Amino acid sequence: MRRRRLLTLTAALTLLLTGCAGGDEGHDDGVVRLRFQSLAWQKESVDANRQLVAEWNAAHPDVQVEYVQGSWDSVHDQLLTSFEGGEAPDIIHDASDDLADFAYGGDLADLRPLLSERLRADIPARSWETTTFGEGIHGVPFLQEPRVIIANRKILESSGVRVPTPEKPWTWTEFRRIARELTAAMGPGRYAVAWPLKEPVSVSLNLGVSAGGRLFHREADGRVTVGFTEADAVVPGTIHDQVVTDRTAPRTTLGSGGSDTLPGLFAGKYAMVPLGFAYRQQIAQQAPEGFEWTVLPAPAGSDGLAQGVSPQTLSIAEDSPYKKEAAAFLDFFLRPENMVRLARGDWMLPTGTAALADPSLHTARDGWATGAAVAERLRPAPAQSVRGYPEWKDKVATPAFQEYYSGAIDGAELRRRLVEDGNRVLARYHRK
């Protein structure tokens, strides 16, 4: 629409298969029809989404919402294609760190004149920051996922190490020391911690916020540059040292996804695995009988338990002819009681203050209380509002972090790649 894009055959086929189109073309009955593309994928989450759509449709015969299933794996390219072709869904489910190019490119509606006062007031300002680009708000942040440590309770308790709480977490230095103690106690071929880092960038940046890391720096003229400081190095350095120096974490999991490490956790090969909060669902469903697990807060740095987070978002396409109707659906969809249903369906945490206060999200069972305690420390991810972040992540940061964590390059080379190579990528976006 307002920028040049490379349209791949795959993306074009995705558009044809999804058949996303705004408005109610092809109908002449006076009913407004909205397309809602959801990225929910777990059964409980899909069920919650579909049930809410059905409840809306039953109560609003003149404004009907069609549920369209999307995929996290292809959403960025699919949206590029649908925006270019003028066939975007009216209501778009995505994540805040994927919105910058769409927002600056004019593809997403500014929600400020559309949102209800109730919804604006219910979600904290720090969450709205994740979807604010320039002067406009281009998405509603509604679900958030802190990173936590899932631990084998029996191994931790038998070792005698101090078990952290949100009130008294481990520091990053203490975490490294305790990992050495646990590995020594567990015996050969077993490790204190497994780091699944198939996608290393968000883990490194978002946990780095606890140590004061920010990586991206916005200049007075609006340009964003990369600067890798000592604070940015704390978390990557800890992970590197656990794998390369201390041998308290195996190299073999570095290319793995979170789910890939669960069999080893269940078998006692690893005592702890840092994971997103939503992985608790898989553990609750898949853990063998007798396996006892607990949820620990991630280590704290100079900024305490602060973490960067990129919430899941709901946006409205700029080209949708029914923005007011779409906003009314969002207001219904994100009522506090509905936000709780969505959060529990995804095993995540709501951004809304009223929903987050729900007692069901503060129980000790399955670690809900630990997540809720961390929620108030969540901050916008360092990559928020950075144009060109997806390319920087894929072409520069991901290979650099992967090589650093495996020991193939040192910290100086990691810094050089992130800063020098990274700034060359970002500079191109400021010329567009």
Side-chain angles (χ1 to χ4, degrees):
M1 288 170 56
R2 295 167 179 81
R3 58 184 182 277
R4 293 190 301 176
R5 303 184 178 108
L6 178 62
L7 302 180
T8 65
L9 178 60
T10 299
L13 287 173
T14 301
L15 171 63
L16 293 174
L17 290 172
T18 55
C20 296
D24 59 353
E25 294 179 8
H27 297 275
D28 192 26
D29 54 6
V31 176
V32 171
R33 288 179 171 83
L34 304 172
R35 293 287 186 96
F36 166 35
Q37 179 169 292
S38 171
L39 303 181
W41 62 277
Q42 300 183 91
K43 183 180 185 304
E44 293 178 47
S45 179
V46 172
D47 288 348
N49 276 262
R50 287 187 176 277
Q51 288 166 6
L52 288 173
V53 168
E55 291 171 18
W56 166 272
N57 287 339
H60 300 83
D62 294 335
V63 181
Q64 294 288 285
V65 174
E66 178 185 352
Y67 181 95
V68 177
Q69 186 64 61
S71 169
W72 285 108
D73 293 336
S74 60
V75 65
H76 187 80
D77 286 344
Q78 185 265 318
L79 287 175
L80 281 174
T81 305
S82 62
F83 284 133
E84 180 71 23
E87 299 290 339
D90 299 277
I91 301 163
I92 299 164
H93 183 186
D94 203 349
S96 59
D97 62 357
D98 191 42
L99 299 185
D101 286 348
F102 298 135
Y104 287 123
D107 297 318
L108 303 177
D110 182 358
L111 302 181
R112 289 177 299 172
L114 299 169
L115 296 175
S116 69
E117 287 300 319
R118 179 205 65 79
L119 189 56
R120 287 285 296 270
D122 185 48
I123 296 175
R126 63 177 180 272
S127 294
W128 286 118
E129 288 177 22
T130 66
T131 58
T132 300
F133 303 92
E135 297 296 323
I137 294 175
H138 296 278
V140 182
F142 71 108
L143 291 179
Q144 54 192 349
E145 183 181 21
R147 294 191 180 274
V148 294
I149 296 174
I150 307 295
N152 184 315
R153 183 190 297 273
K154 289 182 179 178
I155 293 178
L156 245 61
E157 292 180 349
S158 65
S159 71
V161 301
R162 182 180 75 82
V163 178
T165 64
E167 294 73 31
K168 194 175 180 182
W170 289 329
T171 64
W172 285 102
T173 300
E174 188 179 11
F175 177 50
R176 185 181 173 191
R177 174 179 59 78
I178 283 174
R180 290 196 295 265
E181 295 176 8
L182 276 175
T183 300
M186 291 172 67
R190 303 168 79 193
Y191 300 87
V193 59
W195 284 97
L197 293 175
K198 185 177 181 180
E199 300 288 344
V201 181
S202 63
V203 176
S204 306
L205 270 60
N206 291 340
L207 287 179
V209 171
S210 68
R214 51 184 295 198
L215 202 67
F216 296 103
H217 303 265
R218 190 171 295 279
E219 308 296 335
D221 62 359
R223 292 176 177 269
V224 175
T225 58
V226 181
F228 193 85
T229 67
E230 290 186 9
D232 294 302
V234 170
V235 171
T238 300
I239 298 172
H240 170 275
D241 290 346
Q242 286 181 328
V243 175
V244 178
T245 306
D246 302 340
R247 307 293 176 87
T248 57
R251 279 188 175 89
T252 53
T253 65
L254 293 177
S256 302
S259 298
D260 300 326
T261 61
L262 297 186
L265 178 68
F266 298 152
K269 185 175 182 179
Y270 321 124
M272 302 178 288
V273 182
L275 292 167
F277 197 54
Y279 275 95
R280 297 170 305 124
Q281 181 186 35
Q282 290 186 50
I283 295 169
Q285 294 175 347
Q286 299 173 12
E289 186 175 353
F291 180 76
E292 298 181 14
W293 57 283
T294 187
V295 178
L296 312 176
S302 59
D303 284 2
L305 286 174
Q307 283 187 40
V309 67
S310 296
Q312 293 187 23
T313 58
L314 293 170
S315 301
I316 298 174
E318 175 61 29
D319 284 349
S320 172
Y322 301 116
K323 295 184 183 65
K324 290 183 179 179
E325 291 84 352
F329 172 74
L330 291 186
D331 192 62
F332 160 81
F333 196 72
L334 299 178
R335 289 175 182 172
E337 63 273 20
N338 294 341
M339 205 182 282
V340 171
R341 291 165 63 181
L342 294 167
R344 293 190 63 83
D346 247 330
W347 286 62
M348 296 176 69
L349 295 167
T351 59
T353 303
L356 189 58
D358 189 278
S360 70
L361 304 181
H362 292 262
T363 61
R365 182 178 174 85
D366 296 330
W368 281 105
T370 298
V374 174
E376 65 184 38
R377 276 89 160 192
L378 299 179
R379 300 291 181 266
Q384 298 299 154
S385 78
V386 176
R387 297 196 69 176
Y389 170 73
E391 182 181 351
W392 175 85
K393 179 185 71 172
D394 293 343
K395 294 184 178 180
V396 177
T398 293
F401 276 118
Q402 287 174 336
E403 292 183 44
Y404 176 61
Y405 290 143
S406 69
I409 63 173
D410 61 14
E413 177 63 10
L414 172 69
R415 176 182 285 105
R416 188 198 68 76
R417 291 195 192 181
L418 294 179
V419 175
E420 294 182 15
D421 296 350
N423 281 330
R424 279 195 289 269
V425 170
L426 297 186
R428 293 202 301 272
Y429 286 82
H430 291 291
R431 292 196 295 267
K432 293 181 180 181

